[in-house]
Amino acid sequence: MKPFAYTRATEERAAIQTVASNTEAKFIAGGTNLLDLMKEGVTQPSQLVDITRLPLAQVEVISGGVRIGAMAKNSDVANNQLIKERYPLLSEAFLAGASPQLRNMASVGGNLLQRTRCYYFYDTSMPCNKREPGSGCAAIEGYNRIHAILGASDKCIATHPSDMCVALAALDATIRVQGANGIRTIPIAEFHRLPGDTPEIDTVLQQGELIVSVDLPDSPFARRSHYLKVRDRASYAFALVSVAAALDIDNDTIKAARIAMGGVAHKPWRSLEAEKILVGAKPNEETFTAAATAIVQEAKPQKYNKFKVEMAKRAIVRALTTVGEMA
């Protein structure tokens, strides 16, 4: 591992100034992804700014919703009574991710910045445009079973790994970040990027910007929701396909709908087209199948992940059916 400087931050402004002034500096919180990347030689920061002592771990009610501090641990948020009652979808997604030990370390802010689990990204002997721009994408002609079927480019077919972010996409979360010029807010749909020609850039964050919290708006459907994760093992495995589904049903008619997917694209994949199909329709198998078909009709699978198209379609129908049958 390359030698690096270590600083423990005691207040936000100094931490932001330190990282903003050094393009090779990074914030570190739980370190559950960053340390792996450093050990594999994928990332080699010259300085780490430890932000674990910053007072950003609160889960609190705010006007119009709930605010989750960026330093809140995944396990604490998953088991927070306020989150379990108002946003059970988010609690389910947290508990579907990683292992209990990792959830006890990982932070909400770090979860937003997880990098892809593409094996070619982690193997520094292989070409990878996300790790080394312009070097090529070994996954396109390689073993691409876990890779994207939606929104990919000829530069990168990696997927986003977070379960939490899929739930946040369905819940219309807003990310609050603080930089040298103050605080700005970013809708979760705009926070992560599709690969395009610059797959090395995962998010719209600028150097030195610090994630301080995630805001969840009140919604009529958040309590009637479900997170379904399909994976190779029952625990400690990333999603082949996941679905975050939420419905507001009144008088046997869908009044509002949210649906987002994980494991299929470079970012959490929210389908507004599918939601339009759901709204105003009866909550039955015909409606759910039509929504699922709309989502996968743009899929462009690779040699080894064609199975994901049918798997995604069935997972969407199953998740929506589960939500539709809730009291």
Side-chain angles (χ1 to χ4, degrees), residues 73-88:
K73 300 297 186 187
N74 289 2
S75 54
D76 290 339
V77 181
N79 295 302
N80 182 282
Q81 196 60 33
L82 186 63
I83 298 300
K84 291 170 70 174
E85 290 177 357
R86 294 197 184 188
Y87 308 98

Side-chain angles (χ1 to χ4, degrees), residues 216-227:
L216 299 173
D218 290 330
S219 70
F221 47 76
R223 289 178 173 81
R224 194 167 189 164
S225 59
H226 179 51
Y227 185 72

Side-chain angles (χ1 to χ4, degrees), residues 13-272:
R13 184 176 298 277
I16 291 167
Q17 288 176 343
T18 299
V19 175
S21 63
N22 179 1
T23 58
E24 294 186 351
K26 290 184 178 295
F27 298 115
I28 184 168
T32 55
N33 186 205
L34 179 57
L35 292 180
D36 282 345
L37 294 168
M38 292 173 65
K39 286 186 284 187
E40 296 294 336
V42 175
T43 300
Q44 296 182 321
S46 63
Q47 183 172 12
L48 292 182
V49 177
D50 185 340
I51 56 173
T52 54
R53 299 290 176 88
L54 299 182
L56 298 172
Q58 295 286 330
V59 178
E60 57 188 341
V61 176
I62 60 173
S63 176
V66 170
R67 174 165 294 165
I68 303 171
M71 284 307 305
K73 300 297 186 187
N74 289 2
S75 54
D76 290 339
V77 181
N79 295 302
N80 182 282
Q81 196 60 33
L82 186 63
I83 298 300
K84 291 170 70 174
E85 290 177 357
R86 294 197 184 188
Y87 308 98
L89 172 64
L90 181 58
S91 179
E92 277 189 281
F94 271 123
L95 295 174
S99 65
Q101 293 85 355
L102 287 170
R103 292 196 293 269
N104 287 340
M105 285 297 296
S107 66
V108 167
N111 202 322
L112 282 160
L113 299 178
Q114 278 194 81
R115 305 208 72 187
T116 182
R117 302 296 165 157
C118 172
Y119 3 85
Y120 299 104
F121 175 70
Y122 280 82
D123 185 347
T124 56
S125 70
M126 302 297 289
C128 173
N129 288 321
K130 178 177 280 294
R131 174 172 27 83
E132 185 178 349
S135 63
C137 176
I140 291 176
E141 298 298 329
Y143 186 55
N144 40 44
R145 178 175 181 268
I146 65 171
H147 291 77
I149 59 173
L150 292 164
S153 74
D154 62 356
K155 301 295 190 299
C156 181
I157 58 171
T159 55
H160 184 72
S162 169
D163 295 293
M164 177 196 79
C165 292
V166 181
L168 295 183
L171 293 170
D172 290 319
T174 299
I175 315 304
R176 295 174 70 247
V177 304
Q178 183 169 356
N181 297 319
I183 286 181
R184 67 177 178 130
T185 58
I186 309 168
I188 182 70
E190 299 172 12
F191 186 81
H192 298 100
R193 298 177 66 257
L194 290 177
D197 292 330
T198 53
E200 72 276 14
I201 304 172
D202 289 333
T203 72
V204 298
L205 276 185
Q206 301 297 313
Q207 178 71 23
E209 283 189 316
L210 175 68
I211 300 171
V212 293
S213 65
V214 173
D215 288 356
L216 299 173
D218 290 330
S219 70
F221 47 76
R223 289 178 173 81
R224 194 167 189 164
S225 59
H226 179 51
Y227 185 72
L228 173 64
K229 182 175 182 178
V230 183
R231 49 188 163 175
D232 287 326
R233 299 187 301 273
S235 66
Y236 198 30
F238 293 92
L240 291 169
V241 168
S242 68
V243 182
L247 297 173
D248 178 22
I249 301 174
D250 183 39
N251 196 25
D252 199 34
T253 300
I254 300 172
K255 300 297 184 183
R258 294 290 185 275
I259 186 160
M261 299 197 69
V264 296
H266 203 255
K267 59 183 286 185
W269 191 263
R270 173 93 176 266
S271 177
L272 301 180

Side-chain angles (χ1 to χ4, degrees), residues 247 254 257 259 271-283 286-295 297 320:
L247 297 173
I254 300 172
I259 186 160
S271 177
L272 301 180
E273 185 176 355
E275 292 171 8
K276 289 179 182 176
I277 292 172
L278 293 166
V279 174
K282 300 293 183 185
E286 181 181 0
T287 299
F288 299 153
T289 300
T293 302
I295 294 176
Q297 66 180 0
L320 288 170

